[in-house]
Amino acid sequence: MAADSSIAQGVIDQDLIDSTLQRLRSLTQLDVRDRWRVHIGDLPIAMGTDAENWGSWAVPPPDERGYLMGDRGRQVRWLGQVITVPEALTDDGWPLAGLRLRFALGWWSEDAQVYVNGNLVQEGDLFDCFSRVVLSDSVAIGDTWSVAIRLVSPGHDDGALVRSRLLFEPIDFDPHQLSPNASMEPGFIADELETVHAYLNADIFPKFTLRSLKAAQRDFNQKIAYLNWPKDDDGTVSVDRLVDSIQRIRLQMIQQGWSDCIKARKIEPVGHAHLDMVWLWPLQETYEVAEKTFNSVLKLQQINADLTFCHSSPALLEWLEINRPELFIQIQDSVKSGQFEIAAGLWIEPEFNLISGEAITRQLLYGQRYVQEKFTDAQGEPILTKVAWLPDSFGFCWQLPQLFKKAGIYYFLTQKLRWNDSTEFP
């Protein structure tokens, strides 16, 4: 009764939303972080990838985030586990036979190597740290794979295996297909519902499409609460009827305009290379990495004219102007064509907790002045950066909005706010 009352009042029942999304995802997704065995120290590849050795290895305890941690200082760890395909992942009985199986992995490691049945299938590092290895395009019940990972921790930081999840996906799934007998991916549907839920909480649906936010919330809750989980005689979920129930909900959401509201908002990816000026390497190496990075970007833009790249340190651009003038001219041309964006606003990406207001002001003055003097847009007008691109600064003083606005900056980008251990930002 309490749940029905909440729904009638249009209240977003977060527990109800979370449990429904988790149940949908659990049909075809399985977290296997607790199944790894670990060996501390390096081994020959033949030994590290041999599943017969893993029985004597330790079970690594996860930290509070679920990460499997390793000591810093370029320490080597081997992890191994055997993947076996069951008939279903949960008691709901969603069939897995014939689906594609991916192994989604993520790590914080200076060097990472992924082996399947003894064969190297993926390599990565600190910044190439996610992988979706295809184990099979059509699994059969009982199929097995021996998966081993060799991780080398960073010299400056503890290492970690942060994600290891099995993803079962129909090869022919088409998210635009709404017929009841179409292939269905429950994890994708959960993502759809979660997106709608996030939009409703943010109150950014146009009012001309939905009568009111409260009515929209009530409607969404009803769809989640009354999602039909029909059972067959054996107690497992009837796949055909569950798919029909989900498709009906998706069709109703489209007919009510929810899809159009979301699609009215456009997201465009932009390339970026985060180049620390001096971070565990000498300044000269920073210049060399910048030169190689920008050369690569310009070559990629010749292949794909839609590739947009942004950079955030005029200090590096000035070095190129003086020491690599031909490359600098190419960057100026790319800026003029709109393919290369100077997302800077400051001379470098500085520290904001310790430096003075005068230092921040000069960062803004030198950064904006240089960009304005050296770069123009397609109409030949000088460029003034409107974005403070600061993804990696470890804190921000409260006067920044005033300083940014006076420097002609109206947008602020960071990802460090999520690192807070006390104050949580929405």
Side-chain angles (χ1 to χ4, degrees):
M1 293 296 293
D4 291 343
S5 175
S6 296
I7 293 169
Q9 296 174 20
V11 177
I12 293 289
D13 186 335
Q14 190 60 50
D15 290 339
L16 176 65
I17 301 298
D18 291 343
S19 62
T20 300
L21 298 180
Q22 175 56 32
R23 188 174 181 183
L24 281 170
R25 290 191 174 105
S26 68
L27 297 176
T28 55
Q29 300 182 10
L30 180 65
D31 194 315
V32 293
R33 282 178 294 185
D34 60 349
R35 301 185 181 187
W36 292 103
R37 295 297 188 102
V38 63
H39 173 84
I40 308 299
D42 207 359
L43 291 170
I45 293 175
M47 291 183 62
T49 60
D50 188 347
E52 293 186 1
N53 295 327
W54 300 343
S56 62
W57 294 5
V59 177
D63 69 1
E64 66 277 3
R65 300 164 297 180
Y67 296 177
L68 305 182
M69 303 298 297
D71 292 337
R72 68 185 64 193
R74 297 185 174 87
Q75 301 297 311
V76 180
R77 286 186 303 154
W78 280 89
L79 296 102
Q81 70 168 285
V82 175
I83 306 297
T84 302
V85 178
E87 291 187 12
L89 297 181
T90 70
D91 292 339
D92 286 325
W94 188 276
L96 303 177
L99 299 182
R100 173 189 286 127
L101 175 57
R102 297 182 188 270
F103 200 4
L105 297 165
W107 52 78
W108 182 242
S109 178
E110 185 172 293
D111 184 49
Q113 298 169 341
V114 181
Y115 296 86
V116 176
N117 295 335
N119 298 312
L120 179 64
V121 299
Q122 184 79 43
E123 293 184 87
D125 53 31
L126 287 175
F127 306 108
D128 183 9
C129 55
F130 293 102
S131 175
R132 286 163 57 91
V133 176
V134 176
L135 297 181
S136 173
D137 278 327
S138 181
V139 303
I141 307 306
D143 284 349
T144 63
W145 297 268
S146 298
V147 181
I149 307 177
R150 181 182 180 272
L151 298 177
V152 181
S153 66
H156 70 290
D157 197 6
D158 293 339
L161 183 67
V162 303
R163 182 178 67 167
S164 48
R165 179 177 290 269
L166 298 178
L167 307 174
F168 292 87
E169 308 166 342
I171 297 177
D172 58 348
F173 171 59
D174 180 358
H176 303 292
Q177 177 60 259
L178 297 177
S179 63
N181 60 353
S183 295
M184 180 56 60
E185 162 44 6
F188 180 89
I189 303 306
D191 291 344
E192 278 191 327
L193 295 175
E194 189 171 41
T195 300
V196 172
H197 176 48
Y199 270 62
L200 285 174
N201 277 350
D203 189 14
I204 52 179
F205 276 106
K207 295 299 186 289
F208 64 84
T209 303
L210 299 170
R211 295 186 304 277
S212 68
L213 176 63
K214 189 172 182 179
Q217 291 174 336
R218 181 171 61 249
D219 190 28
F220 182 80
N221 265 345
Q222 289 172 339
K223 284 177 168 55
I224 297 298
Y226 297 118
L227 178 64
N228 188 14
W229 294 84
K231 298 292 185 67
D232 285 329
D233 294 339
D234 62 359
T236 61
V237 168
S238 171
V239 174
D240 292 339
R241 286 189 287 165
L242 175 58
V243 170
D244 181 64
S245 177
I246 293 173
Q247 295 290 48
R248 289 179 187 276
I249 289 175
R250 297 181 75 222
L251 184 59
Q252 291 170 7
M253 293 168 69
I254 290 175
Q255 291 172 340
Q256 291 173 343
W258 294 21
S259 175
D260 291 339
C261 290
I262 293 176
K263 292 176 181 177
R265 297 176 179 274
K266 190 176 182 181
I267 298 174
E268 295 186 5
V270 60
H272 174 64
H274 181 71
L275 304 177
D276 288 293
M277 291 299 294
V278 183
W279 183 75
L280 303 182
W281 52 60
L283 181 59
Q284 183 59 38
E285 186 171 346
T286 304
Y287 293 144
E288 294 170 0
V289 170
E291 179 184 359
K292 293 177 181 178
T293 298
F294 298 148
N295 263 318
S296 295
V297 167
L298 294 171
K299 290 177 181 177
L300 289 171
Q301 288 178 340
Q302 294 175 2
I303 299 172
N304 183 355
D306 293 330
L307 171 61
T308 301
F309 179 82
C310 71
H311 182 62
S312 57
S313 295
L316 288 178
L317 297 172
E318 183 191 53
W319 183 87
L320 291 174
E321 180 187 12
I322 297 171
N323 297 280
R324 303 292 186 271
E326 293 183 0
L327 177 58
F328 182 76
I329 292 173
Q330 294 179 53
I331 293 175
Q332 286 180 310
D333 292 340
S334 186
V335 170
K336 182 176 291 188
S337 70
Q339 291 178 284
F340 197 117
E341 180 182 359
I342 311 295
L346 301 100
W347 187 241
I348 61 171
E349 297 176 20
E351 153 68 33
F352 286 105
N353 290 311
L354 301 179
I355 65 176
S356 67
E358 177 71 16
I360 297 174
T361 299
R362 290 185 180 274
Q363 284 276 353
L364 292 162
L365 172 63
Y366 298 155
Q368 288 286 56
R369 185 171 63 187
Y370 183 81
V371 173
Q372 195 172 38
E373 290 176 354
K374 303 297 180 178
F375 298 96
T376 61
D377 60 19
Q379 287 72 43
E381 296 295 326
I383 289 175
L384 195 66
T385 300
K386 297 181 180 180
V387 178
W389 185 281
L390 302 164
D392 208 33
S393 296
F394 285 82
F396 306 97
C397 55
W398 65 272
Q399 299 96 333
L400 283 183
Q402 178 189 25
L403 295 171
F404 285 165
K405 190 170 183 179
K406 287 183 176 296
I409 293 174
Y410 296 91
Y411 304 96
F412 165 62
L413 180 145
T414 187
Q415 55 91 31
K416 269 295 193 286
L417 299 183
R418 65 185 175 87
W419 281 41
N420 285 11
D421 59 8
S422 52
T423 303
E424 292 188 5
F425 287 80

